[in-house]
Each structure stands twice: as structure tokens, then as C-alpha cells.
Amino acid sequence: MSDQKRFLDKDYTRRQFLKLSGKSLVGVAMSSAMLSTLGVTAGALAEDQVRVWAFPQGLLVVNADRCVGCQRCEINCTLTNDGCCSSYISRVKVTRNLYSSRNGNGLYTENNWTYFPDTCRQCEDPACGNACPMGAIVAGEDGIRRVDQDKCVGCGACVEACPWHMPTVNPVTNKSSKCVMCGACVEGCPSGALSIVPWDKITAAAQEV
Amino acid sequence: MSVKNGINGWAGSVLRVNLTTGAITTEDTLPKYKPYIGGMGLGYKVIWDEVPLDTDPLGPDAKVVFAVGPLTASGVPCSGRMNVSCLSCWSKGDSIVDAHMGGHIAHAFKYAGYDALIVEGQSDKPVYIKIDDEKVTIEDASEVWGKGTFETNATLTKANGDEFDVASIGQAGENLVPMSCMVTSFGNSGGGGVGAVLGSKKVKALVVRGTGAVKIARPLEVKLLSNYMIKDLVGGNNNHNVPTVPQTWAEYSATTKNRWQGAPGVTWDKAPNGPIDMGEQPSGVINVAALRCNKGVFDFGEIAEKYTVKQGGCSSCPVRCYTEYDMDPLADYDLPTHVSNTCIPITGQTGIYCEGTHDFVDEGDAKVILGGAGSRAQDDFGVWCNYGNLKTDFIRAYKDGILKEHMTEEEWNAVPWDLMKDGDPRWAVEFYRLIAEGKGAWGVIGKGSYYMYKEWGLDDATKNSAGKNYYDEVSGQNTNVTYNGYPKHHSSEDAWQSGLLYNVLYNRDCMIHHCTNFVRSGSPYEEVIKPVLESFFGEGCVDAPKAYTPINENKIKLAKWAFNGKQWHDSATLCNWMYPMTLSTSKKRGYKGDLDLDAKYMSAVVGEDYTRDSIDFDCERISNMLRAMTAISFKLRLDSSNLRKDHDAVPAWVFDKEPDFKAFEEGTVKMDRDDWEKSLDMFYEAMGWDKETGIPTRETLEKFDLGDMADKLAELGLIS
């Protein structure tokens, strides 16, 4: 198999994006076909308004300009994973950015129209898992890191350690939870602010130079 | 945290804050309030039990009830509504009235663990109520008293933390101006005079953080039902179910301009990283649902695209009806450029420029730029427009010379009329400042139509220099639907006798969108609207546009469905602009919606068996509470014993407009007086109300376990 062929291979494309996962895409050269597939503009990349995360199902793209603040990502996350409806314990977080976020954005700031969901970065070297004193955050066979509810003692070390504070200790169960890459947030996003581009489409776009 | 208490749907607690004593208590929701659902029904029960209906609405014994319901924050789409009940301080009879607030605060409140907040007593200094889950405190608001709502909301979020949402009153409420509201998010407001009621209690704001959850009996079923609603049922704003612009997948495009304006080539021009094209939005696809509504383009035409950043709205709603603008021409006037609102609060603003307007940058942009400046100023001062009546009352009084008559020369000269005459957007700031200050003639306008007309003799053509009755006058400006001080809100012009019937039953504009939603859906009448509606309500329940027919039983059924259904939405809570799902976007469904959806939601959220009939029954109870309380108020305050004559009377213009037509001729929506009287007879009978007085009979009230209301009506001699 030639290097050229391997670059176009579905799994290899995913590995390329794993390296970019969660990182700034500023300075990354993308073909117009790839930009179109991701649903973003070169300008948005240059302005650091787009982040991508490598999921098993495809590439998760967060487009801040498209977020309309409906919170359906949090709703679908908690209905799917927690059997209830909540913002605070959601694994994807938009409400904390809606009113007045730590970055000076939100409806009650001067940047009124800047709000968007924060998603788990699925870090290669996970601060949450590294900080857990119980070793409760471990990757399964599918590579997805989950919080082992039996081991978790709700100490909150993972919340503090995560630079984006994405894990949350549920105040009712006193157990932490983090994104398990189920895709419910994306499936229910009505504006396409969150989208998962399947790997075969990424591969196809990569072939169009 | 509701999930703790094991109750599905409801949060389980009602919070009570007494501002006189400082006492903060809670009680269980369900034992007492379950038959009243939540929201409006719960609020009415509290007011009925605790506030005598002759209480001063702005006095220490008045109460305000903020309430959400079992579907609020359950995951169900468009459940981000909070109902606020209190006694009216501005409409005839000062009876029970509601404000309906969107934004995000209803979700925060429910997540904090509460179904309702009862605010009672009066503080002697400005305060705000802080709810941080189970920690509830009365906080000093002196720093924000006197400030506009935008600054207040920003200040209180900053002071308390990023995750706190806020709803606040502006200077209008503080100054006890009845035409006042509270404002949350960005331009989402609850009106009905609630600003003044809170102002009388010295409550500046409600500040809320909720880290809890709403427990759901069958969460995956709720998710699937929600997906079904978004995929197969809901269209654009007001559930307009076919796109205005033809789309390749769509069988129909709208027969009339509707609220599904998203289309290829329609853009959010000011998106930070370049225009976002709204593209096609096929039925069956969730991820494009929020791109169907472009309320800016509906409100102003394509000029709105130039200033559009994105579309916003309420929690859980996939249909975004608040266009969020950056109107840079306003910067030239040192005005904020970020504005957002929808419908009358933004489209009606050019009206306050009585001498005309001018464009700014592009041809035809005056309406959008002045609309933006006006809506922002109105919201900032916390002024409520009474669905446009505030502005039309001003315009009529100005043009008829009435306003000048009621001002001293000094007062008149102090008004910066040049700004108005120049079409300067700063006029809006001055106009709403004057209304919010509540002084002199401006204070009279700010009392609302009922008291303004009374004070200036505008309710009697012989008592004012213009020789007009402001209720009856046939004029484009006059939309008063009763003699009680509020305008029509999608009435007979949209929905024949049925629309007019439910327009006269509340103590404010009815806010019912049940019928306008399908009438103005854009679907073809013969192929979609008529067959779908007749499949629900029987032959003849609907009329073709401007081709009305005399009243019949099925139009009464339609009116009753809409009237009771509105109570359901404000109690559940669900957005009445969107629900019920009468029509659908789906060709394979024959565009027929699903009126059983709400019962399916309830069954999945609460885990008990609900049906459309069981919900209708509970809502008809609330309809009767509204009616009985209104009758009691009218007796106690006005010594009236007849709601038919004294509350439900319809002004002459509804029957006398378009003099070249007779009612029921093709081309007119005017009503016929005899037919209207017959409509009232039939509707009262269908509701179990006395035909002579329009007051519920004892038998009707007892059917809904409202025997205590029947006893009070009997004690006052209103029923036997």
C-alpha cells in the first residue's frame, strides 16, 4: 500500500484528525472540498471559531456562529444518559455560556450574540482521568473514557483538573460524569451548530484536492 | 433538586417569599395543586385562595405567582415558558391576568427545584429575590434600582455568577406605570402590568440558578416524541408548515407570506465569520429545523438579512423566532446596535413617529432600524405595549390633538418633538423614558387604554374635542376588541366568529394562536387546511379567507378547543405560538398534525395515563376559574352582574368596518351583530355558562370541583 493510498484510507484520515482534535485549527490548510464538507469557511478557521473532535462516528464540528442557544444539546444529553432533564450535569455545556461566560461573552455581556456549546475534548492525555484518585476514568475497548460509577467518590478532582471543567459531579447522585461520545447532542441540534461529519465523507473530501 | 424527591414532571415544591416579614417557606406542590396542572392554573388557584378579588393590585395584600408546569424543562420542545399571574392594574375590573415569559429563566427556575414562586407582602427598600437551588434569599437591589433592564440583568449576573439568569423590571415598573413588564434574556418579556405590581413590592428582579434536574418517567420516549415533533410536525414560527420560497423537496410553497422564511439565498449576513445561508430545510430532518424561521425577514423583508447575526429564542425551542441583529447605523446616534425582539414590540415601533420616517442607509430600512432602536428602548425601560395599544393610543391622541390639550405649554415644549419629526431613533428612547416616568399626560397614556380613555373622555364621543369614541371608531389604528382596554390578538380577521369569541374572554389580549397558525400557515385552503381541520372538528368548522359563513356548532367546537387549549399551554407550560401541532410539514401525513401529542408528552414525562380528553377537562376547569374570578371582580369593583354585557361586548368597528360590504359577502372579514349574539349564545351553552349573563352555572362549576367559586358567586347574587 503506497503512502498516497494510505493517506486516503478512512482510518488514516481519522488519525490525522485525532492529532488536531480539540486544538486550534488556525493555520491548518484545508482544501475547499474539506471546508465544504465540514460546513465552515476559511475565515471561520482563521478566526478560531471552529473546533473539531474525532469521534468514532466521525468528526464532531462545533460552529459557534450557528449556535442559537436553544439548549437542546444539553436536554438530549441528559435525557439519553441520565434519565432526566438538566443543564448543570449535561456533558455538553451551553447554558454556562449563554448569560455571561468566563470569556466575556453571552446575552448579558457586550458580546450578546456570542454563545456556543463547550464539548469534551476527548484529550489524548486526559487531565480528568489523570487527576482521579480512584482511577475511575478509564477507556473501554472502544477507546471512549467513561466514569466508572462504582469507583467514583464524587470528589470533583476531575472537574478541577479539566482545563474546561467539562466533567460534572451530579449533586443528586454525587457521582461525576463526562462525555461518552453518544452523539445525542449532535443528533438533536436543530441548527447544525453541532454536527458529526462521517469519516467516509471526510475521506471523500480528502480525495478531492 | 427535583430528581431527589422522586416526582416525575413536577419539581415538587412551591416557594413563598414574604417581603413584609422576610419569611421564605416552601410547600409540596402536588397535594394541593395537581388538579390545576401548573403555570396559569396553579397561579389562579393561589390568587383565588389567597387574594380577595377586590384587593388593591398594587397594595401589600396583592400577590404575584410565577409558575411553570410539568412539561417545563422536561425536554419537550418549546417548553421554556413561565406564567406570571396577578391582579390587573390596568384593565376593566382589575381582575385576574397573566404575563407569559420566554427566554431561559423558566428552565433555570424548574431546575432549581420549584414549580412556583409566590411573592407576597411589600418590601420597604429595593430588593431582588435570589434563588440558588434550595438557597433562597432577599437581596439588596439599591445598586440597580433606577437602572434599565439591560444594565440590571448584566449587573446581577456578574454579581452572582455566570450561571445565574435574571428577569428584571425597568423604570416603568419602579414608577408603578401599569403599562410595564419584566425582561429576561434579550427582549423576552412578561407584560400585563406585572412590572408595576413587582415595583409596588420594590422587587427589582428575580435571579435564578438551578443545578438540579427534572425527573422524567420515560426519558427515551420523551426524546423520541420530541424528535418526532421536530422531524414530522413542526414547521416555522407559529408552526407555519410550508416554506414561503419553493424548495426542491416541498410539494407546496406558501399561498401567502408566512413565517417559514428560511430558504437558499436567505442569509444571516452579519454572522461573525461570513454570511450563513439558511439553505433548504426538508421535513424529516432535525438539524435544519432552526433554519426554517427567519423572523427578521418576515417582520421587515429581506433588508433584515443585512443586520442579522443569528436567530435566538427560548430554552428547548427548535424554532427561533427572535432574530438577533447588529444594526450599526444606530451607532451614529450613540445607541446600542445589538437588538432583538419579535412581532409587535419590534415591528410596531415606526408608529411612534407620527410625522413620518426616513431611511438610513438603504431604501426601506427605516422600519428595521427604528424598529430595533424602539424595541431596545421599550425593553430597557421595561415598558409593556399592550400588544400595540400603547403606541396607537399615543398616535391617536397626538393626531387628534388630545395629547396637547392635556399638557401645559411648558410640558409640551419640554418634549423633544424635533427628534420625532426628524425620524431620529433617539426619539424612541425619549418616548419610552416619558412613558416610564409616568408623569402628567404621559402617565395617563401609561395607565393603559381603559383608564386613559376614561380619564380623557375618549370612551364617549360627546366627551372629547375629537368627537370620537376610541373603542368604536372605524380606523386602521383602532383594534380594541372589547371595551376593557386591550386589542384583538388574531381575532375575527383570521378566524371568523371563533377568533372573536376567544378574544373577548380574558382580561388582556387573548394571546391565542391556535387558529391563526393554520389560517396563515401558507398551506392551500382546499387541499390542506379545510380537510385537516374538518377531520378534527367537523364540516364547516373553518371558513375560506374573506369568505365567511354564519355561525355553526363546529365553529363553536373550534373556539372552545382554542380557549381551553390556551389554558393548557400556559399551565403545562408550552409555547402557544407553536402548539398545538394542528398541521404537519409531512406530505405522507397529508400535512395533518397530531392533537394527541401533548397527552403523549404528559404520559411519558409524568408516567401516568393522560388523554386529550383528560387534559381538556383539566383545562376547562381553569377556563371556568378565569370566568368565575372575572365575574366576581366585576361585581366587587364595578357592581356588574353581567359579563355578557359588561365584559364581552364588542366595539362597533368590528361590525361597521368596510361599509361597502355586508357581513358574509366574499371579500370582507366584518362580523354581523345578530350572528355574533347567536355565537355568544352557542358558546356560553357549550361552556355551561348562563346565556343571559355569561357566568358559569353552579352545575358547571361543581363538575370541575369549583363549588367554592359557585358559593361565592351565589353569595354575591350572581348565580342562584
Side-chain angles (χ1 to χ4, degrees):
Chain A
M1 195 181 286
S2 70
D3 282 353
Q4 178 66 21
K5 176 78 176 160
R6 283 190 60 204
F7 180 75
L8 302 174
D9 175 77
K10 180 176 165 183
D11 289 337
Y12 194 80
T13 311
R14 187 181 160 209
R15 282 201 293 278
Q16 293 282 304
F17 271 102
L18 266 170
K19 287 184 183 170
L20 293 170
S21 202
K23 298 190 176 76
S24 171
L25 297 178
V26 173
V28 174
M30 281 194 195
S31 67
S32 57
M34 186 65 82
L35 290 170
S36 167
T37 301
L38 300 185
V40 301
T41 62
L45 282 193
E47 290 293 322
D48 207 12
Q49 286 293 310
V50 178
R51 293 284 168 113
V52 297
W53 324 99
F55 270 40
Q57 306 94 315
L59 198 64
L60 173 67
V61 182
V62 181
N63 189 332
D65 286 5
R66 283 182 175 266
C67 177
V68 293
C70 68
Q71 301 158 301
R72 291 212 62 80
C73 48
E74 296 178 336
I75 287 167
N76 283 310
C77 174
T78 49
L79 283 176
T80 303
N81 295 299
D82 302 288
C84 62
C85 193
S86 173
S87 280
Y88 184 73
I89 61 171
S90 174
R91 293 142 178 84
V92 55
K93 297 186 183 299
V94 66
T95 299
R96 70 182 189 187
N97 295 334
L98 260 182
Y99 312 136
S100 171
S101 77
R102 61 201 175 284
N103 300 322
N105 299 320
L107 289 165
Y108 300 138
T109 70
E110 290 188 1
N111 299 318
N112 308 94
W113 311 146
T114 305
Y115 45 80
F116 50 86
D118 290 334
T119 58
C120 173
R121 271 68 170 168
Q122 312 296 345
C123 304
E124 205 171 336
D125 182 26
C128 59
N130 296 343
C132 177
M134 308 306 291
I137 302 178
V138 289
E141 285 180 6
D142 54 8
I144 297 170
R145 291 187 193 87
R146 295 180 174 82
V147 179
D148 184 329
Q149 297 291 299
D150 292 334
K151 287 185 182 172
C152 175
V153 293
C155 67
C158 54
V159 183
E160 290 308 312
C162 172
W164 305 278
H165 307 301
M166 291 307 297
T168 309
V169 177
N170 184 326
V172 177
T173 62
N174 200 36
K175 302 283 181 184
S176 177
S177 60
K178 67 171 285 298
C179 176
V180 294
M181 300 167 102
C182 71
C185 55
V186 176
E187 179 199 352
C189 175
S191 66
L194 288 169
S195 59
I196 288 181
V197 184
W199 289 116
D200 54 354
K201 281 197 180 174
I202 299 282
T203 306
Q207 291 176 50
E208 280 185 54
V209 180
Chain B
M1 278 145 285
S2 53
V3 112
K4 262 186 181 167
N5 62 25
I7 298 169
N8 294 315
W10 285 272
S13 291
V14 170
L15 176 64
R16 185 183 296 267
V17 174
N18 187 308
L19 298 159
T20 305
T21 65
I24 296 168
T25 55
T26 59
E27 61 188 294
D28 290 344
T29 305
L30 293 185
K32 188 170 179 186
Y33 298 111
K34 193 175 182 186
Y36 308 92
I37 305 171
M40 176 191 190
L42 193 161
Y44 280 29
K45 176 63 175 162
V46 172
I47 299 288
W48 168 247
D49 283 347
E50 303 183 14
V51 184
L53 292 166
D54 54 356
T55 300
D56 176 0
L58 303 181
D61 296 331
K63 302 189 184 191
V64 186
V65 186
F66 296 84
V68 294
L71 294 187
T72 313
S74 66
V76 165
C78 315
S79 64
R81 308 287 301 173
M82 177 180 266
N83 196 86
V84 192
S85 303
C86 59
L87 293 185
S88 167
C89 58
W90 58 275
S91 52
K92 185 178 182 183
D94 291 347
S95 194
I96 185 85
V97 75
D98 302 284
H100 321 91
M101 193 158 60
H104 306 92
I105 200 161
H107 272 54
F109 182 78
K110 185 88 175 275
Y111 292 149
Y114 306 103
D115 296 303
L117 161 65
I118 304 168
V119 180
E120 58 189 26
Q122 260 177 352
S123 171
D124 55 7
K125 60 179 195 309
V127 295
Y128 67 89
I129 297 169
K130 178 178 176 182
I131 298 173
D132 186 5
D133 292 328
E134 68 276 21
K135 297 184 289 293
V136 181
T137 49
I138 302 169
E139 304 281 344
D140 174 35
S142 53
E143 190 190 349
V144 285
W145 195 258
K147 306 288 189 192
T149 63
F150 287 97
E151 186 178 342
T152 299
N153 292 351
T155 302
L156 293 183
T157 296
K158 211 173 183 62
N160 288 290
D162 292 343
E163 289 162 353
F164 283 85
D165 199 0
V166 188
S168 66
I169 66 169
Q171 296 92 333
E174 292 177 14
N175 294 329
L176 310 185
V177 172
M179 291 293 101
S180 57
C181 63
M182 62 191 312
V183 177
T184 185
S185 277
F186 202 111
N188 300 90
S189 65
V194 72
V197 180
L198 288 170
S200 73
K201 298 184 178 306
K202 292 258 187 317
V203 173
K204 180 69 176 173
L206 189 58
V207 179
V208 187
R209 177 171 71 166
T211 67
V214 177
K215 189 168 182 285
I216 309 295
R218 301 197 288 270
L220 291 181
E221 191 178 326
V222 171
K223 191 172 107 167
L224 291 174
L225 283 168
S226 301
N227 287 352
Y228 153 65
M229 179 269 200
I230 299 170
K231 279 180 9 186
D232 294 343
L233 300 177
V234 76
N237 180 215
N238 288 48
N239 197 21
H240 288 177
N241 68 323
V242 295
T244 287
V245 178
Q247 299 195 12
T248 55
W249 61 273
E251 180 181 22
Y252 297 119
S253 55
T255 52
T256 54
K257 177 187 165 194
N258 74 357
R259 301 184 187 214
W260 183 334
Q261 291 286 330
V266 176
T267 55
W268 305 351
D269 272 14
K270 278 213 161 179
N273 295 290
I276 290 177
D277 190 303
M278 299 182 81
E280 294 211 339
Q281 310 93 21
S283 177
V285 181
I286 292 177
N287 303 118
V288 294
L291 304 173
R292 291 182 183 137
C293 176
N294 185 323
K295 194 62 189 354
V297 172
F298 177 78
D299 286 343
F300 298 114
E302 63 184 38
I303 186 70
E305 293 175 56
K306 179 175 176 180
Y307 300 109
T308 298
V309 178
K310 53 167 68 167
Q311 315 288 328
C314 307
S315 296
S316 80
C317 179
V319 179
R320 314 304 285 169
C321 71
Y322 271 63
T323 296
E324 297 180 341
Y325 301 97
D326 179 12
M327 297 185 185
D328 47 77
L330 292 174
D332 295 342
Y333 300 89
D334 293 325
L335 294 174
T337 64
H338 283 193
V339 299
S340 181
N341 215 306
T342 191
C343 294
I344 295 287
I346 193 163
T347 59
Q349 298 294 345
T350 46
I352 63 173
Y353 296 82
C354 302
E355 308 285 351
T357 60
H358 65 76
D359 291 330
F360 291 82
V361 181
D362 300 294
E363 190 178 342
D365 69 0
K367 57 192 175 188
V368 63
I369 302 297
L370 295 177
S375 73
R376 170 112 191 185
Q378 181 180 324
D379 288 336
D380 199 31
F381 288 106
V383 170
W384 179 57
C385 75
N386 190 10
Y387 199 58
N389 252 27
L390 178 81
K391 283 164 269 193
T392 51
D393 285 343
F394 160 69
I395 296 160
R396 296 168 82 189
Y398 176 88
K399 291 194 168 173
D400 288 338
I402 301 289
L403 185 59
K404 195 167 187 179
E405 280 174 22
H406 290 280
M407 283 188 183
T408 64
E409 195 175 338
E410 194 182 348
E411 283 168 340
W412 181 263
N413 291 335
V415 178
W417 294 114
D418 286 350
L419 292 176
M420 182 185 83
K421 289 170 183 165
D422 292 346
D424 188 314
R426 289 171 294 192
W427 166 242
V429 178
E430 296 306 316
F431 176 78
Y432 288 111
R433 185 196 313 284
L434 289 163
I435 295 289
E437 285 173 353
K439 293 177 183 162
W442 298 101
V444 177
I445 296 174
K447 288 180 182 179
S449 307
Y450 179 73
Y451 288 104
M452 171 192 168
Y453 296 176
K454 217 175 171 56
E455 197 161 330
W456 287 350
L458 300 168
D459 53 356
D460 183 338
T462 67
K463 290 185 179 167
N464 64 78
S465 61
K468 291 178 179 176
N469 180 316
Y470 269 31
Y471 291 114
D472 289 332
E473 186 191 11
V474 179
S475 127
Q477 298 287 355
N478 177 24
T479 62
N480 283 290
V481 76
T482 62
Y483 294 92
N484 308 336
Y486 40 85
K488 72 178 175 67
H489 195 136
H490 300 296
S491 179
S492 47
E493 82 286 4
D494 275 4
W496 42 95
Q497 300 92 337
S498 306
L500 188 55
L501 280 167
Y502 53 69
N503 260 265
V504 304
L505 300 172
Y506 296 83
N507 294 301
R508 60 165 294 172
D509 61 305
C510 70
M511 303 276 276
I512 293 180
H513 302 83
H514 277 65
C515 292
T516 190
N517 286 6
F518 63 76
V519 168
R520 298 197 189 194
S521 64
S523 279
Y525 177 76
E526 291 293 342
E527 292 83 353
V528 174
I529 295 173
K530 186 173 155 68
V532 169
L533 268 294
E534 290 193 336
S535 75
F536 290 133
F537 301 104
E539 193 179 347
C541 66
V542 292
D543 284 334
K546 292 191 176 183
Y548 288 1
T549 59
I551 190 66
N552 63 49
E553 286 293 346
N554 290 336
K555 288 184 179 180
I556 296 293
K557 260 193 219 168
L558 187 78
K560 188 174 170 182
W561 162 72
F563 178 49
N564 290 333
K566 173 62 164 50
Q567 275 67 278
W568 162 244
H569 294 147
D570 290 340
S571 301
T573 56
L574 291 173
C575 173
N576 179 267
W577 281 260
M578 297 310 306
Y579 289 99
M581 292 290 110
T582 312
L583 298 179
S584 148
T585 57
S586 166
K587 182 182 177 182
K588 64 176 184 284
R589 295 180 62 90
Y591 306 98
K592 182 172 178 172
D594 184 349
L595 298 185
D596 297 318
L597 179 64
D598 309 53
K600 293 174 192 168
Y601 286 151
M602 277 296 279
S603 300
V605 168
V606 175
E608 297 170 17
D609 287 335
Y610 283 84
T611 64
R612 199 176 143 201
D613 286 345
S614 72
I615 286 176
D616 282 352
F617 183 85
D618 287 345
C619 294
E620 196 163 344
R621 173 182 295 118
I622 303 166
S623 297
N624 279 288
M625 294 171 79
L626 164 68
R627 196 64 174 175
M629 290 166 81
T630 302
I632 293 164
S633 297
F634 268 54
K635 180 64 182 175
L636 294 175
R637 295 195 198 272
L638 303 166
D639 197 28
S640 159
S641 301
N642 190 316
L643 291 182
R644 180 172 187 142
K645 285 184 186 157
D646 297 329
H647 184 277
D648 300 347
V650 172
W653 70 271
V654 176
F655 308 103
D656 296 341
K657 65 180 177 178
E658 300 168 28
D660 294 340
F661 288 96
K662 286 182 187 162
F664 307 128
E665 282 183 339
E666 200 163 333
T668 184
V669 294
K670 73 192 293 183
M671 294 278 101
D672 175 81
R673 285 187 167 85
D674 291 340
D675 177 81
W676 171 244
E677 293 303 324
K678 191 176 167 194
S679 303
L680 283 178
D681 284 346
M682 291 169 71
F683 186 78
Y684 292 161
E685 191 172 356
M687 291 300 298
W689 299 348
D690 182 86
K691 272 196 202 174
E692 297 298 315
T693 65
I695 294 173
T697 64
R698 175 175 287 279
E699 187 187 356
T700 300
L701 293 170
E702 288 182 346
K703 179 177 155 191
F704 296 104
D705 302 319
L706 300 173
D708 53 346
M709 288 193 168
D711 292 344
K712 184 68 182 177
L713 289 168
E715 179 194 319
L716 293 170
L718 296 170
I719 62 171
S720 52

